[in-house]
Amino acid sequence: MKKEEIKIFEELKSNFLDIDPANFIQNNLTIDGEDFKILGNGWRFMVDIYRYIAINATKKDGKPVVIKKGRQVGATVMAGALDLYFTNSGLFSKPPIRVVHLFPALAQVKKFSQDKLEGMIRTAKGDVINKNKLKTANAVDNLTMKQFNNGTLWIDSMGADADRIRGMTADIVFFDEIQDMFSQGIGNATKILTAAKYGPIGKGVQVYFGTPKERGSHFSTIWDMSDQRYYHLGCTNCKDTFPFYLPNDDRWKEIWVEGYNIKCPLCGAVQKKIDAIEAGKWVATKNSEECQYTGFHINQLYIPYFSKENILDLMPENNPSQTERIWNNEVVGEFYSGLGMPITKADIYDKCRDPDRYFSKSIDPRIKKSYFGVDWGGKADGATGGQSYSCVVVISVTHSGEILIEHAHKLRENSFNYKKETINEMFRRFGITRAVSDWFFGQDVVHDIQLRYGDRFIGAQGSGSLIKPLKYREEELIVSYNKDLMVEELFNLMKKGKIRFPWKSYEHLEWLIEHCTSMEMRHRVVGNQPVKKYVKGSGPNDGLMALMYAYMAYKFDLTNGFTIRPGANKKISMPTPVLANIKRSI
Ligand SMILES: [Zn+2]
């Protein structure tokens, strides 16, 4: 063949292979410049999901796909790869496909687009993705929108109710971390698919995925409506397949002998985990024809490079730092509704949401009293490494005792001066009556700020005292507090709807909701008394701590420095504010 013909043939071959998403990924994408290998190396369960979405879900009789997954099973990479496959493979170019990848809030959009997707585009083999970008004069290429020759990709935020994407038209929507989304937003978002050119008419292609959290959520509802497929392993000896992981079923512990060895329960042959995965297949546990969704379940047991010992070490009975909730949600990918969950996102949505209220830009202290709390952490927002954030939460309290969250943010820097300036700005902007701050991790700043504000800025130090859960040490300007009791008080207020979240500022609030719902509860017995203990879950809780400090600042005023028993003196220390009444009648 002539050189020209060979070239055309090679291109044709490569284009043909690109029709298969797994081949497209291996041929074109890399992971940080390293080969993105998913064929023949134990990721078969994932490859089959890629193929299902590309081939079946895009058909006219396709069904929405729901993927219930443990953490760190490669789903984010999968989503990014699929985004690029749909918009760059050329298979969906007539008409050019429109893909929307939705996250619960803008913070996750930024993280995914900047950290993951941009990297995948930049390191693609032969720069194919960049070369495929639309080059017309008004072509868009930014963090949330990318135009290619064969399609357009949007990475955007669902927010509270899918406001940002309203009026758009798309063919595919990926709902990423669907557990953290609310039903109303999901309902609105699916409306952008009514004119979809791929997938079922009027419905388009819908892919929902996330790590499960609480039972009873929207996510658990659609999972229940799916055919719930589990991945069965295969035997290279008897050629049969057998279930490995199933919920509430311990058989995997027998099948997985040790290390990377899998023993076939049918013939007894022992083989490598990777081989058993490659010989396996997806099996539905319900009649697929009767189900509205196609469901796939993946968890950490299937990760090819995880040994049995890795998994055993993640079990709460073998590892005191693992909770039941982390094991269920993140390792085996199951919904969990133990007593260990003090408050859920659904609770906050149902009971604590002020649908029409925004964050306050500033507060006039003549109109209402406000308080703030600050928690110091070692980690600046957006930076990597470390565990906690510095953050502030500003509240005001209505005359009927409702605590309004007026403002909250994470500090961008952790320098001494930046912290000091932030505190000064909070006092100024919100006309703050009093604030409470974590003392242990912020001693230098707290001392410095107290030189200016005195007892309007009090340090807080944890204590185990059950008799006096709040005690003010006047000379030191420090309040000692029992964290478990204070956190419990806060959760009880939330359950009664007494703490109000300004839902119009949802994008700025989402992280705080996350922090408020991440803690876990344990029971212990102290001196024959059952005591609830709140421990840090897998996510950060600094925002909740800042809210707790703000609440303590309010309580300080309410009880005249904790010298009055709460409740006994409410009428005297909290007279109905006259101005608030006037404002109401306007
Ligand atoms: Zn066998």
Side-chain angles (χ1 to χ4, degrees), residues 510-530:
E510 197 262 350
W511 68 274
L512 181 62
I513 297 167
E514 189 79 40
H515 286 205
C516 286
T517 52
S518 76
M519 286 196 93
E520 298 183 29
M521 189 167 63
R522 283 180 192 168
H523 293 273
R524 60 174 184 159
V525 178
V526 178
N528 290 330
Q529 287 284 319

Side-chain angles (χ1 to χ4, degrees), residues 235-240 242 264-269 271:
C235 175
T236 49
N237 183 51
C238 70
K239 311 290 179 201
D240 217 333
F242 49 89
C264 171
L266 306 166
C267 75
Q271 58 216 291

